[in-house]
Amino acid sequence: MEQNVRVLGVVPYEGMKTLLYNLAEEYPRVSMDVFVGNMEKGVEIAEHYFHTDYDVILSRGGTASILQGKGLPVVEVEISLYDVFCALRLSNGIRGKVAMVAYANITISAKVLCDLLNYHVDIFTVESLDALEPKLKELQTEQYDTVLCDMTASIIARRLGFNAILITSGIESLRKALEQTLSLCRSHERLRQENSFFREILRGQAGKIAVLDNQNGEVFFSTMENLAPELLEVLRGALLLPGMEEERGLTKHINAMRYSIQARRVLFGSKSYTAFFVEERRIPLGPAQMGISYLSRQEAEDAIAERMQCLPGHELREQIRYFAGNTAPLVLCGEDGTGKETVVHLLYVQGPYRGSALVSIHCGLLHEKGWNFLLEHHNSPLLDSGHVIHIAHVQSLSPERRDQLIGVLKETDVCRRNHVIISCVSQEGEQISAEGAQWLNGLGALSLYLPPLRMMRGEIPTMLHLILGRLNANAPHPVLGAEERAIELLQEFHWPHNYIQFQRIVEEAATTAPGQTIRAEDIRRVLQKERYECVLSPATKGVCAPLDLNRTLAEIDQDIVFRVLEELDGNQTAAAKRLGISRTTLWRLTRTAH
């Protein structure tokens, strides 16, 4: 009887992982684990996990090539002619200059397809990973807006401010690779002997694992993709040397994380090692720190990949690149849903402080203890240097607190030591709110206006195709465009919640469309659910502000709470009284909004 085939998948994006798991259900002999990692990260994952009991590695592109060079059994997922066609088809509806940057195995097919289909895409072939960023920077100076590329190039392209369409591997390419995997394993019933050392290490253990050499403290094996230096120092201090107990446990707190560690001494040949089994949990923020969060560069880049498709126009991306290199305080203005958070992420990853954390201060979530922590505590982020500090929802602050915070920023040179970005919501018809103008003048700041979608209707076809490009990475069957009338319906809609609302509408229409093209009736069906009621507030002087009812009850409750808080200048006691709820309930509703 044939043995099951154990497959380790190392893929460049999350959607490919989902497709592989779904496809593996059709193959009862295949037992598969899939991890997301590209190039160096993917190689590190493969080297960490392969020896734990896998027969073959399934990967793609540069990661597969590197692993093959290391002598590991690898089946490469190829990019088919149809995969290249899907990416080119999406680019055909995009405004501005479009380029493809890829290796020869992709560009040769792309040139043939462009000639046959009369697509106007400039194609550039690179021969190495090191050539990607210089080529993309060259295209940046030549005013290109959109790049078709693989995962590695798309990460660089988005960091540089390009729109990026990922060339994905479709279901048939994955099926072909799985068939090759089964064929390989039939001809090599066992590619290796079981490694008893690692079996002993992994026996009955959960969590993450690191194995250190007892002689020099060097890492011999680790399942942790990024072993923090602080944690590594703790592990080196807990080595179980000969003559000590064979097992022990310890707990450490490092950077808001709680580590539960079990150590076991193991032998491999004549050498002694300590195996550490690590479980980590984030320590909940204390009430005083609610509303203050920290984001790494990787987390910001992941967020950009989700939202970059909804930043319209070459001019805006050029402005972002300019402001990223200028660390003077900046006020971001725009209506609800115009992408202020995404712009902050771009300014952070393109700016000089991208090696430090992005600090976000949500003014709507700061209660009394949080306010005191921010202004008075020795661990306040306002005392740090070399960070991007994003102060969001400043319209939630009372006039007194606005004055106080502006004064603190000026008196303590926060803006000189960090890049401070203020974001505020403006109403329809105004470029900057009164609160935004106070920050602009109080800090002597620069300003960047994010236009609403109704002013950028000409960009809707481009944004639609870019969103479809991202969705296709997670879909078994790609959606390649929309009917002309469907696009007209999108352009005619008022979009009270702008780009965030547009992205949600396109995603729903694409997900429910029966074919590879979004029809006008698909758009009509989704837009009919966008019903709005008007909420009148003295604070808006009778302006009818839209309340989106196409959300969960919890989200609508949060919206109402923030509107009342804004009207009452952040007075939580008065807001709770007006809403007929306790201050505890009010605090809970504002906390769960972030």
Side-chain angles (χ1 to χ4, degrees):
M1 182 176 177
E2 290 184 325
Q3 294 180 338
N4 283 347
V5 176
R6 290 273 295 158
V7 179
L8 172 63
V10 181
V11 300
Y13 54 92
E14 195 69 36
M16 191 170 170
K17 172 182 176 179
T18 303
L19 290 179
L20 272 176
Y21 275 135
N22 292 339
L23 189 60
E25 295 178 1
E26 301 177 16
Y27 294 83
R29 280 198 58 217
V30 172
S31 175
M32 180 182 296
D33 295 310
V34 186
F35 298 86
V36 177
N38 195 43
M39 298 300 286
E40 290 87 353
K41 182 180 178 183
V43 171
E44 184 179 347
I45 290 171
E47 291 181 326
H48 283 163
Y49 286 100
F50 179 70
H51 297 288
T52 59
D53 194 20
Y54 293 100
D55 300 309
V56 66
I57 299 171
L58 195 65
S59 193
R60 192 184 96 150
T63 306
S65 298
I66 296 172
L67 292 173
Q68 287 167 347
K70 291 178 175 289
L72 294 171
V74 180
V75 173
E76 181 175 358
V77 179
E78 297 177 350
I79 294 176
S80 70
L81 195 65
Y82 180 70
D83 298 333
V84 177
F85 164 75
C86 289
L88 289 170
R89 176 67 180 82
L90 282 172
S91 72
N92 199 39
I94 290 178
R95 295 176 62 181
K97 297 178 70 175
V98 180
M100 174 181 283
V101 179
Y103 296 107
N105 66 318
I106 296 175
T107 57
I108 291 173
S109 300
K111 289 175 181 176
V112 172
L113 286 170
C114 285
D115 289 341
L116 288 172
L117 302 172
N118 197 28
Y119 287 166
H120 302 291
V121 175
D122 297 324
I123 298 174
F124 301 92
T125 301
V126 293
E127 297 181 356
S128 68
L129 180 63
D130 293 337
L132 280 174
E133 186 157 352
K135 173 55 69 176
L136 289 169
K137 287 183 176 178
E138 179 184 326
L139 296 181
Q140 191 178 57
T141 62
E142 295 175 9
Q143 305 296 303
Y144 281 86
D145 296 306
T146 303
V147 178
L148 283 67
C149 51
D150 66 6
M151 191 65 197
T152 303
S154 74
I155 293 171
I156 300 171
R158 289 191 177 103
R159 173 161 49 82
L160 294 175
F162 286 101
N163 295 318
I165 293 181
L166 179 64
I167 303 171
T168 60
S169 296
I171 193 74
E172 291 308 318
S173 297
L174 297 177
R175 191 187 306 279
K176 180 181 177 182
L178 268 181
E179 292 288 350
Q180 291 174 343
T181 298
L182 289 172
S183 177
L184 175 66
C185 291
R186 287 191 193 103
S187 61
H188 299 81
E189 191 59 32
R190 264 328 254 187
L191 299 177
R192 56 181 172 77
Q193 293 293 323
E194 289 233 40
N195 191 319
S196 59
F197 175 60
F198 287 128
R199 286 208 316 273
E200 170 63 18
I201 290 175
L202 297 173
R203 174 176 51 83
Q205 294 296 331
K208 299 178 179 179
I209 300 169
V211 182
L212 272 62
D213 190 323
N214 281 341
Q215 185 174 354
N216 54 29
E218 293 300 313
V219 178
F220 175 70
F221 170 83
S222 174
T223 63
M224 294 183 232
E225 297 173 13
N226 295 296
L227 184 53
E230 299 91 340
L231 178 58
L232 179 58
E233 202 59 35
V234 170
L235 300 184
R236 284 174 173 159
L239 290 173
L240 297 178
L241 303 177
M244 300 174 63
E245 67 270 37
E246 292 191 359
E247 295 194 23
R248 63 174 293 200
L250 64 152
T251 301
K252 289 290 182 181
H253 295 82
I254 305 172
N255 296 334
M257 299 295 293
R258 180 180 183 272
Y259 293 93
S260 297
I261 304 168
Q262 289 293 322
R264 183 196 303 167
R265 187 167 69 250
V266 290
L267 297 176
F268 184 43
S270 61
K271 298 198 67 173
S272 171
Y273 297 84
T274 301
F276 295 97
F277 308 93
V278 182
E279 292 188 8
E280 61 180 16
R281 288 189 177 87
R282 185 172 293 279
I283 302 171
L285 287 174
Q289 296 166 279
M290 194 60 64
I292 302 172
S293 60
Y294 295 82
L295 211 65
S296 69
R297 177 178 171 178
Q298 183 60 55
E299 290 170 322
E301 289 180 345
D302 291 344
I304 290 169
E306 288 291 314
R307 295 292 184 185
M308 181 69 179
Q309 302 86 3
C310 288
L311 282 183
H314 178 80
E315 182 180 348
L316 177 59
R317 288 191 294 276
E318 285 296 315
Q319 288 180 305
I320 291 171
R321 277 195 282 268
Y322 166 76
F323 285 115
N326 190 327
T327 57
L330 175 67
V331 176
L332 285 181
C333 312
E335 296 177 20
D336 177 45
T338 47
K340 290 180 281 292
E341 188 173 18
T342 302
V343 171
V344 171
H345 292 158
L346 280 166
L347 292 168
Y348 164 57
V349 302
Q350 294 180 19
Y353 297 143
R354 57 183 174 270
S356 303
L358 166 62
V359 184
S360 292
I361 301 169
H362 191 308
C363 294
L365 302 180
L366 288 175
H367 46 61
E368 194 67 35
K369 286 185 177 179
W371 181 254
N372 292 335
F373 176 86
L374 182 67
L375 266 58
E376 300 174 6
H377 199 275
H378 63 88
N379 283 330
S380 167
L382 300 183
L383 297 179
D384 292 335
S385 298
H387 290 283
V388 174
I389 299 178
H390 176 210
I391 305 176
H393 300 276
V394 294
Q395 68 274 6
S396 301
L397 295 174
S398 66
E400 294 77 13
R401 284 191 169 179
R402 280 200 298 272
D403 290 338
Q404 188 178 6
L405 184 52
I406 290 172
V408 168
L409 295 179
K410 292 169 67 175
E411 291 170 10
T412 57
D413 282 336
V414 176
C415 297
R416 182 180 59 80
R417 294 181 283 107
N418 303 275
H419 188 190
V420 176
I421 303 172
I422 312 296
S423 64
C424 58
V425 177
S426 54
Q427 298 298 321
E428 184 173 334
E430 65 179 11
Q431 286 208 1
I432 188 168
S433 63
E435 296 87 356
Q438 183 178 357
W439 286 92
L440 192 68
N441 296 321
L443 297 178
L446 305 173
S447 67
L448 176 58
Y449 174 63
L450 306 182
L453 182 53
R454 63 182 175 275
M455 293 175 59
M456 306 294 291
R457 299 184 194 275
E459 297 290 334
I460 281 179
T462 294
M463 290 191 294
L464 180 139
H465 282 80
L466 292 171
I467 293 170
L468 292 180
R470 180 180 60 82
L471 292 177
N472 287 344
N474 302 301
H477 304 291
V479 177
L480 302 180
E483 293 177 353
E484 185 175 347
R485 181 54 186 153
I487 293 176
E488 290 174 354
L489 289 171
L490 292 172
Q491 291 175 319
E492 292 166 3
F493 192 68
H494 186 63
W495 300 112
H497 295 284
N498 293 289
Y499 307 103
I500 292 177
Q501 184 185 21
F502 176 79
Q503 179 163 335
R504 175 172 55 80
I505 294 300
V506 171
E507 288 177 355
E508 182 174 345
T511 303
T512 57
Q516 290 190 317
T517 301
I518 298 175
R519 306 165 301 174
E521 59 195 87
D522 300 323
I523 296 297
R524 288 194 189 96
R525 183 187 67 253
V526 178
L527 289 180
Q528 282 174 356
K529 295 189 291 185
E530 298 297 296
R531 302 186 304 273
Y532 298 96
E533 298 290 341
C534 289
V535 177
L536 294 176
S537 163
T540 57
K541 298 181 172 64
V543 176
C544 186
L547 181 64
D548 183 2
L549 299 182
N550 189 33
R551 296 175 294 171
T552 65
L553 180 61
E555 290 171 331
I556 295 171
D557 286 346
Q558 291 162 3
D559 195 349
I560 293 171
V561 166
F562 279 116
R563 288 167 187 259
V564 173
L565 279 169
E566 181 179 356
E567 180 183 334
L568 298 174
D569 294 325
N571 189 321
Q572 295 189 8
T573 301
K577 182 177 180 181
R578 175 170 168 178
L579 291 167
I581 58 178
S582 67
R583 282 198 59 179
T584 302
T585 302
L586 182 80
W587 177 81
R588 177 178 55 79
L589 287 169
T590 57
R591 182 184 65 172
T592 55
H594 191 56

